[in-house]
Amino acid sequence: KQSRTNDIRTENSPLQIFVKAKKKINDIFLEIDDYVDDTVRFIDSLKDDHKIIAQEEVQKVEAYKDKVQGIRYVLKRDHMKVAFFGRTSNGKSTVINAMLRDKILPSGIGHTTNCFLQVEGSDGEEPYLITEGSDIKQPVQSVGQLGHALCKEKLCESNLVRIFWPKSKCLLLRDDVVFVDSPGVDVTPNLDEWIDKHCLDADVFVLVANAESTLMLAEKNFFHKVSTKLSKPNIFILNNRWDASASEPEFLDEQLDEQKEVRAQHQDRAVDFLARELRVYNTKDAEERVFFVSAKETLQARLKEQKGESAHSGALAEGFQNRYFEFQDFERKFEECISKSAVKTKFEQHTQRGKHISTEIRQTLNEILDRTQKMKAEQMNAQKEVRDKLNFTEQQLILLTQEMKDKIHRMVEDVEQRVSKALNE
Ligand code: GDP
């Protein structure tokens, strides 16, 4: 039943826009590769005949082979990347775990993320990690052990640790989404280095804010910097820990009003930040990018669901259902956004290159065809001239022999006449 549910989810997921486009562009580049291969083989068989093909043409077509292989290498590895930022303890790791439906990243006190952590899918069944500058695969048995492994490594905050998690355990990883968790934006003096190293190829940024306080300057500054380097970054704002503002049943009405007011304030400030300060969206679109969630509750609910229990079981704060729906709503919009954005940024340029390469090759082949047709016509012309000459000579010979025949005939007659005359005399 679980696998059928997964299949349905996979089919309906907006991530399929990227997954299908990736398959298609990889197939097209396989065809271009074959086309270049055929052309190289064909040109190779003619290259000794320098009159037909110029040396530069051979080199030009052969160079396309490496280019196409290079593009295919990149395309096979292309993925969608989402990066999470925010102050320490706002719940970045918990949000990622909730989306991945598993406790993959360590979270909580004593597990402050002190470097960049990237979670990506792997084909094997065993999770492992690789630290920056090394290619040793360190097995990861548990979250606790992962936290421990990260603590004992001497890691600099802008270093990257890659965690490879089995694709079979998670749909998002199977669909080529890569998650990046960052150290708190409040702790670093190296924003520029962070952005250059980890953000320039991110398709979506998620600012994990704390719904219990307002957006901090450090959080805003980070995104101001990002938007100077990327023209229109896709940003979502999650007001996390929204469960903390849940009302106690006995004060329901009063607290509900207060909660509405707090929400409206956070919403206005977040929209203002995205639309007026960063100018990445208009006001209406910005409203669609702000969510009020509880990552902790969502993760707990999902872990329960996976054990076959109800998401609603256990002690839950008032309003859990709404927060859970809002988290799912965020995920849906996030999937749509990342999928479309990644197709555009990752495949548009390669599509143009593929088009350019096949046009150039066709043009070279057209030029070779034109040249051979011209050579053939010239040869036929030359042959015609020889034929005309031969015909003329033949005609001349015919005429000449006729003339000679007449002359000899006349001479013979003349001689006969003379002889008979002499005899008569
Ligand atoms: P990070 O430093 O931003 O990665 O934050 P963590 O994910 O490690 O979370 C810090 C602490 O906040 C942990 O103890 C989490 O359990 C807790 N936490 C995370 N999200 C929520 C939430 O939505 N509600 C509540 N009440 N606690 C949360």
Side-chain angles (χ1 to χ4, degrees):
K1 186 171 167 221
Q2 185 67 34
S3 103
R4 216 179 56 229
T5 322
N6 282 352
D7 285 347
I8 294 166
R9 213 184 99 76
T10 304
E11 268 307 298
N12 293 335
S13 161
L15 296 176
Q16 289 300 310
I17 301 170
F18 178 84
V19 175
K20 285 181 184 152
K22 179 171 167 179
K23 185 175 176 331
K24 201 165 199 170
I25 195 167
N26 274 291
D27 288 349
I28 290 172
F29 265 88
L30 177 67
E31 274 178 42
I32 295 180
D33 205 0
D34 282 349
Y35 180 44
V36 175
D37 252 359
D38 286 348
T39 313
V40 168
R41 223 172 299 128
F42 170 66
I43 280 190
D44 243 18
S45 70
L46 294 176
K47 85 173 166 196
D48 292 334
D49 197 338
H50 293 291
K51 277 190 224 138
I52 300 182
I53 290 175
Q55 191 57 33
E56 303 86 71
E57 281 171 332
V58 179
Q59 284 164 353
K60 188 169 148 191
V61 174
E62 277 176 355
Y64 283 132
K65 216 174 146 40
D66 287 344
K67 264 192 204 142
V68 171
Q69 304 252 310
I71 294 173
R72 285 190 66 198
Y73 182 84
V74 172
L75 281 176
K76 267 204 201 111
R77 279 154 193 79
D78 261 341
H79 53 242
M80 296 170 265
K81 179 166 157 181
V82 49
F84 295 79
F85 292 93
R87 265 180 310 147
T88 317
S89 293
N90 279 3
K92 296 177 292 297
S93 314
T94 313
V95 170
I96 297 178
N97 286 341
M99 291 176 82
L100 295 174
R101 293 157 189 264
D102 208 339
K103 278 190 179 166
I104 297 178
L105 298 178
S107 74
I109 300 159
H111 282 134
T112 311
T113 315
N114 53 5
C115 65
F116 278 80
L117 295 179
Q118 176 163 310
V119 186
E120 53 195 291
S122 70
D123 293 320
E125 286 304 310
E126 296 304 323
Y128 58 90
L129 67 84
I130 297 180
T131 53
E132 192 165 328
S134 150
D135 46 16
I136 300 168
K137 294 179 180 179
Q138 306 184 33
V140 177
Q141 272 99 32
S142 65
V143 193
Q145 188 247 338
L146 171 63
H148 190 68
L150 294 174
C151 283
K152 96 177 173 297
E153 295 281 341
K154 285 243 169 316
L155 293 162
C156 148
E157 53 149 55
S158 57
N159 270 176
L160 180 72
V161 173
R162 297 169 72 189
I163 298 161
F164 293 84
W165 202 258
K167 284 182 186 171
S168 56
K169 290 189 179 178
C170 178
L171 286 173
L172 287 162
L173 297 179
R174 195 174 69 194
D175 284 349
D176 274 339
V177 183
V178 166
F179 291 75
V180 176
D181 192 7
S182 61
V185 281
D186 44 340
V187 299
T188 183
N190 299 327
L191 284 185
D192 282 303
E193 191 189 351
W194 274 23
I195 295 170
D196 292 342
K197 258 186 101 176
H198 304 289
C199 300
L200 299 182
D201 64 338
D203 300 292
V204 167
F205 295 87
V206 178
L207 165 57
V208 181
N210 186 345
E212 292 164 294
S213 66
T214 46
L215 275 184
M216 302 295 255
L217 207 59
E219 290 165 320
K220 287 185 165 190
N221 278 346
F222 172 75
F223 283 97
H224 274 293
K225 265 205 186 291
V226 168
S227 66
T228 59
K229 300 210 184 193
L230 290 169
S231 66
K232 280 243 185 282
N234 294 304
I235 305 172
F236 285 83
I237 298 182
L238 292 184
N239 290 290
N240 192 36
R241 297 171 163 271
W242 191 229
D243 56 310
S245 72
S247 42
E248 304 289 334
E250 56 267 32
F251 301 113
L252 208 61
D253 282 347
E254 230 172 82
Q255 288 204 331
L256 223 56
D257 286 345
E258 193 187 316
Q259 197 187 359
K260 268 190 199 149
E261 211 171 289
V262 174
R263 182 179 173 126
Q265 251 179 28
H266 280 315
Q267 175 82 14
D268 284 351
R269 289 199 183 127
V271 168
D272 193 59
F273 175 55
L274 293 175
R276 202 183 50 78
E277 279 190 45
L278 293 179
R279 295 168 188 272
V280 287
Y281 302 117
N282 59 36
T283 311
K284 194 173 156 289
D285 292 342
E287 279 165 7
E288 299 280 302
R289 295 284 190 243
V290 184
F291 299 86
F292 292 78
V293 295
S294 167
K296 191 175 171 183
E297 281 178 345
T298 304
L299 176 61
Q300 278 168 355
R302 286 182 168 168
L303 292 175
K304 273 189 215 150
E305 280 170 342
Q306 267 161 32
K307 279 195 253 160
E309 296 167 22
S310 154
H312 306 264
S313 63
L316 289 164
E318 192 70 26
F320 158 77
Q321 191 63 58
N322 286 343
R323 289 187 292 276
Y324 192 28
F325 278 152
E326 198 153 337
F327 198 93
Q328 289 169 326
D329 189 27
F330 152 68
E331 286 178 309
R332 184 95 194 159
K333 293 197 174 116
F334 153 78
E335 287 183 9
E336 228 168 70
C337 172
I338 197 167
S339 198
K340 286 185 186 157
S341 161
V343 167
K344 204 165 157 49
T345 53
K346 311 242 145 100
F347 301 152
E348 195 170 64
Q349 265 188 1
H350 286 139
T351 310
Q352 296 301 340
R353 281 201 199 111
K355 245 182 178 167
H356 175 76
I357 292 172
S358 44
T359 316
E360 286 277 303
I361 289 183
R362 202 180 56 197
Q363 202 174 328
T364 307
L365 288 176
N366 271 341
E367 280 164 16
I368 295 173
L369 179 65
D370 274 359
R371 201 174 309 140
T372 45
Q373 278 173 344
K374 255 189 217 138
M375 283 165 77
K376 190 174 153 196
E378 272 166 20
Q379 263 179 16
M380 297 228 305
N381 268 345
Q383 276 172 1
K384 189 168 173 294
E385 259 173 43
V386 173
R387 220 171 32 239
D388 288 350
K389 244 183 205 155
L390 284 175
N391 283 344
F392 176 73
T393 320
E394 192 182 32
Q395 288 295 319
Q396 290 298 96
L397 278 172
I398 294 170
L399 284 176
L400 267 175
T401 35
Q402 194 57 45
E403 211 172 292
M404 290 298 277
K405 261 192 204 160
D406 289 351
K407 244 186 193 164
I408 291 167
H409 189 69
R410 274 198 303 277
M411 263 170 64
V412 172
E413 271 182 358
D414 191 36
V415 171
E416 265 176 6
Q417 269 173 21
R418 282 188 206 192
V419 170
S420 62
K421 197 176 166 195
L423 282 176
N424 286 340
E425 277 174 0

